[in-house]
Amino acid sequence: MSWDESAWFMAMTSVALKSTGVLGAAWIAALMLRGRSAAVRHLVWTAAASAVLALPFLSVSMPDLPVAAPGLALGGPLAVFEANATSGTSHTVPSTSPTASAGTASPDSRRPGWRLWLMLLWAAGTAAAFAQMLAGCAWMRRVRRYAAPASYAADLAIAHDVDADILETAEGTMPMTFGILRPAIFLPAEAAAWDTERLRIVLLHEMAHIRRGDTVTQILARAALILHWWNPLAWRAWREFVKERERAADDMVLTAGARPSDYAGQLLDLARTMQSAPALGWAAVPMARRSQLEGRLVSILDSGLSRASVSRASTIAATLLAVTLSAPLAAVRAEESAAAVPADVDATIRAAVAQKNHEMLDKAAVAFEALREYETAQRLLESSIAIREEVSGNQSVEYGLGLLKIGDLEKARRRGAEAEAIYTKAVLILGDRPETAPALMYLGWRKKDPAEAIDFFKRAQRLDPALTSSADRCMALVRERESNAPEAETLYKSSLGAAKPDSADVIDTLQLYSRFLLSQGRDAEAKNMAEQAATALKSYYAQSAVRAKEASAVYKVGGDVKPPSVLGKVEPAYSQEARFARYSGTVVLYLEVTPEGLARNIHIVKGLGMGLDESAIDAIGKWRFRPGTKDGAPVTVAAHVEINFKLL
């Protein structure tokens, strides 16, 4: 899966907003349940932690909340948006044409943006906190391994139905419970000298944690906090979770017959004389925390409080319910996105198979590819090629043409190795047919051996004369990289001669030819060639800027006109030719965002050529916006987008 910084940032922003909403709802619920028992309120916080942990997983394949990513820049009267496309080459050769040079990415533009730094900070904090919890668990496992059984507590444990290992730890250690599958109670060494009442109270309290399943919910709630360590509401939720957990355990001790005054006194004495290492609190469940002692003592001595307990089955049921209820929040835009999807894919496939009609599936695949629903498009094309094979055989022309379509899809998905393998198989089946020419051009770029690459370019040129200029330019690049300057120059000139006037081929070849001349020390010729490229580029994009008049007005940002914002961004792909030529720079596009949040009338303000402009237009056409408004009503608003094509 390719890295898309904007998509990841929006996904993480969505998770942050949704989890904050869940925690806020839990806070309100806990306030409304102030008259109920601590066990009930603890159940609310446990369910909230479960929902917070489930949200990222539920949102993996679902659209995010329709919230615009913050920080989009505004420049002049138009809204300005930015996107990046990167190429995985390690060498950068700057273009010498005025247009490309002006837009070449500076060193500063290659540094991580603020969104990436925020994501890295979030991830680093989460990793550090998770490592701390793992270290606490590892330490407790080590303590358990070497701890001796507290035999003096055996009879008392049997009398009070304490079903857990009771182990002895170092002096001064706070009594605690640890373990999920087989929890254990840890007592300090001096517990051997405690009176029966204190030992009974401690065992009852720790056994209450085990019966309630607190050793499990401790890890669950801690994981939710770790994931959202930066959120103050998450820390408040954790403190409330711990407070209500201890009060619920206290209630179970009191319900078992302990006198409130005696229990409060014992708890106070333990808190003063015992201590718990902070790191162990990430893994184990200690009996007392000094920071919450005052509230617990007041609660213990208040005879009017409800002390009803909650069963472990109720905790599990509430957790599952919370996760279920969080699913609609995670899928808040799922229905809206689904509206753009054509009818039932399975039904379409069944109908096509019954009719032996692969064209039906091919057309549906094109529609899904336009929506970037690549998995569905792949499924349709695979069913289509199965029909082709059944009807015509796997060595037929029809089968080979079907392979070309799958190869085109893999290329669109930027899966180079897969596209190369499928194109190679298609070419072997089809031989030298005009339909294979684009595949041969693609395979030529993938070949490391210059002789093989040129052979593929020549075959494509021979099969489709329209590719003559492009193929000559590609072969010129190969010869240039071989340091074969005379042949490279001959091919550049041939490419110019074969190109249609004022076409993109002319511009691309002029720009690369100019760079070649500069590398040969022919500065004056290079400057003249660069000026020709700039003039041709200006003329080409002036023609492309001619647009049909629209019935509705187009507004610019300012005053009561508010800018649109990006909801979904598709990063452009680097063209094979630009990647091979080590070409970088910035494309600037003009567009209009409609009240429906779609981009229309997209045209180039400043381009680069070599297929990068077309890639930028294609990507922007798939963006989705929250529309701009005038006096609160959606209107069509003009905007600019800057696409930075950068070599890594």
Side-chain angles (χ1 to χ4, degrees):
M1 182 177 64
S2 60
W3 163 258
D4 187 335
E5 178 182 322
S6 176
W8 276 96
F9 181 77
M10 291 186 68
M12 294 177 74
T13 301
S14 178
V15 169
L17 290 171
K18 294 172 184 177
S19 62
T20 299
V22 169
L23 293 175
W27 179 257
I28 294 172
L31 289 176
M32 295 175 63
L33 294 170
R34 283 177 296 181
R36 304 293 295 275
S37 67
V40 172
R41 293 190 296 274
H42 179 263
L43 188 61
V44 170
W45 292 114
T46 301
S50 304
V52 166
L53 284 178
L55 275 173
F57 300 99
L58 292 173
S59 299
V60 165
S61 58
M62 299 179 184
D64 298 322
L65 279 169
V67 177
L72 293 172
L74 296 178
L78 302 184
V80 180
F81 307 101
E82 184 177 346
N84 297 288
T86 56
S87 171
T89 179
S90 59
H91 304 285
T92 303
V93 180
S95 170
T96 58
S97 73
T99 303
S101 297
T104 300
S106 65
D108 288 342
S109 69
R110 296 179 190 135
R111 296 173 184 169
W114 63 270
R115 293 181 299 183
L116 179 58
W117 282 118
L118 280 181
M119 290 189 287
L120 290 175
L121 179 61
W122 186 345
T126 298
F130 187 67
Q132 189 174 12
M133 185 175 75
L134 288 180
C137 290
W139 179 256
M140 287 302 302
R141 286 177 61 85
R142 184 176 184 276
V143 169
R144 180 171 186 167
R145 184 180 301 117
Y146 295 105
S151 56
Y152 50 83
D155 292 341
L156 197 59
I158 294 174
H160 291 281
D161 194 24
V162 176
D163 183 21
D165 296 332
I166 304 176
L167 305 173
E168 187 176 278
T169 58
E171 290 187 5
T173 303
M174 179 68 67
M176 64 184 68
T177 302
F178 172 77
I180 296 178
L181 298 179
R182 177 64 181 174
I185 297 172
F186 296 84
L187 301 177
E190 55 265 44
W194 285 353
D195 58 56
T196 303
E197 181 60 18
R198 169 171 290 193
L199 189 58
R200 184 179 76 89
I201 284 176
V202 170
L203 290 177
L204 286 175
H205 182 92
E206 297 307 317
M207 195 60 204
H209 284 310
I210 294 174
R211 287 172 177 159
R212 284 171 36 79
D214 288 340
T215 55
V216 177
T217 59
Q218 158 90 359
I219 300 297
L220 184 147
R222 198 79 206 191
L225 174 62
I226 287 172
L227 184 61
H228 297 279
W229 60 268
W230 49 266
N231 191 337
L233 188 56
W235 283 97
R236 185 59 184 268
W238 167 254
R239 288 192 291 270
E240 290 296 314
F241 170 88
V242 173
K243 180 185 75 175
E244 302 297 357
R245 179 190 69 197
E246 294 306 318
R247 290 185 179 183
D250 292 340
D251 290 343
M252 290 186 71
V253 174
L254 295 174
T255 302
R259 291 180 58 188
S261 57
D262 291 343
Y263 182 47
Q266 296 282 9
L267 190 63
L268 179 60
D269 190 51
L270 284 169
R272 286 187 307 194
T273 58
M274 304 292 171
Q275 59 183 359
S276 174
L280 298 184
W282 287 75
V285 181
M287 182 172 178
R289 296 170 183 262
R290 295 182 182 180
S291 61
Q292 296 179 338
L293 187 60
E294 182 179 352
R296 285 179 65 184
L297 294 177
V298 172
S299 176
I300 290 169
L301 297 173
D302 189 346
S303 60
L305 293 181
S306 170
R307 305 196 187 279
S309 62
V310 173
S311 66
R312 187 179 298 188
S314 298
T315 302
I316 295 174
T319 299
L320 294 176
L321 179 62
V323 172
T324 302
L325 292 177
S326 66
L329 178 61
V332 68
R333 289 176 57 86
E335 183 176 351
E336 177 181 337
S337 297
V341 178
D344 186 3
V345 174
D346 288 331
T348 302
I349 293 175
R350 287 194 297 270
V353 170
Q355 300 173 33
K356 301 292 190 290
N357 185 350
H358 62 78
E359 293 181 355
M360 180 189 305
L361 300 179
D362 293 341
K363 292 178 181 178
V366 170
F368 275 101
E369 184 178 349
L371 293 168
R372 300 182 68 83
E373 295 283 347
Y374 293 132
E375 295 298 333
T376 303
Q378 180 94 14
R379 183 179 171 195
L380 288 163
L381 289 178
E382 288 174 351
S383 299
S384 170
I385 203 168
I387 295 174
R388 294 171 187 262
E389 181 178 12
E390 181 182 352
V391 173
S392 306
N394 61 7
Q395 296 298 314
S396 64
V397 171
E398 285 296 332
Y399 187 81
L401 294 176
L403 286 176
L404 287 179
K405 292 182 181 297
I406 296 178
D408 293 342
L409 178 63
E410 296 291 13
K411 183 174 70 173
R413 299 176 72 175
R414 310 180 200 180
R415 295 168 59 172
E418 291 82 352
E420 181 180 5
I422 293 171
Y423 277 148
T424 300
K425 185 176 180 181
V427 169
L428 286 174
I429 293 173
L430 293 171
D432 288 346
R433 293 176 59 90
E435 293 90 346
T436 63
L440 290 168
M441 290 291 292
Y442 184 86
L443 291 173
W445 287 120
R446 300 283 300 181
K447 298 301 177 183
K448 295 181 180 179
D449 181 10
E452 282 189 273
I454 286 181
D455 180 61
F456 276 93
F457 293 141
K458 285 183 175 179
R459 287 176 64 187
Q461 185 181 59
R462 185 175 66 254
L463 294 173
D464 187 354
L467 295 175
T468 297
S469 177
S470 178
D472 281 341
R473 184 173 62 252
C474 294
M475 289 187 284
L477 285 168
V478 174
R479 294 308 187 197
E480 184 179 347
R481 296 187 71 171
E482 288 184 302
S483 299
N484 188 340
E487 189 170 349
E489 183 166 11
T490 299
L491 287 165
Y492 277 131
K493 290 179 178 178
S494 176
S495 177
L496 284 175
K500 294 181 180 179
D502 299 324
S503 67
D505 277 330
V506 168
I507 298 166
D508 291 346
T509 304
L510 285 171
Q511 290 176 334
L512 292 174
Y513 194 5
S514 171
R515 189 184 70 179
F516 167 77
L517 292 172
L518 188 64
S519 71
Q520 299 298 307
R522 297 156 63 179
D523 294 3
E525 294 176 80
K527 181 180 179 181
N528 178 59
M529 192 71 66
E531 289 174 351
Q532 291 183 51
T535 301
L537 190 64
K538 184 177 180 180
S539 173
Y540 180 78
Y541 291 125
Q543 295 175 20
S544 69
V546 177
R547 307 183 306 278
K549 293 183 179 180
E550 299 294 331
S552 58
V554 177
Y555 294 89
K556 294 183 178 180
V557 175
D560 55 0
V561 178
K562 304 302 180 185
S565 54
V566 178
L567 294 179
K569 182 187 291 187
V570 175
E571 303 292 1
Y574 231 96
S575 68
Q576 283 281 359
E577 189 173 0
R579 183 184 295 110
F580 187 88
R582 303 166 184 172
Y583 199 61
S584 64
T586 299
V587 174
V588 180
L589 305 97
Y590 168 89
L591 69 148
E592 296 165 5
V593 179
T594 70
E596 294 75 32
L598 304 177
R600 72 176 186 191
N601 292 341
I602 307 170
H603 71 271
I604 300 293
V605 175
K606 185 181 78 66
L608 292 175
M610 300 194 70
L612 298 180
D613 302 335
E614 292 77 5
S615 176
I617 292 174
D618 178 65
I620 299 307
K622 298 170 184 174
W623 284 24
R624 293 297 178 266
F625 298 83
R626 174 175 289 166
T629 60
K630 184 178 187 300
D631 297 326
V635 294
T636 300
V637 178
H640 281 144
V641 176
E642 296 179 0
I643 306 291
N644 299 310
F645 287 92
K646 298 181 288 187
L647 296 164
L648 299 180

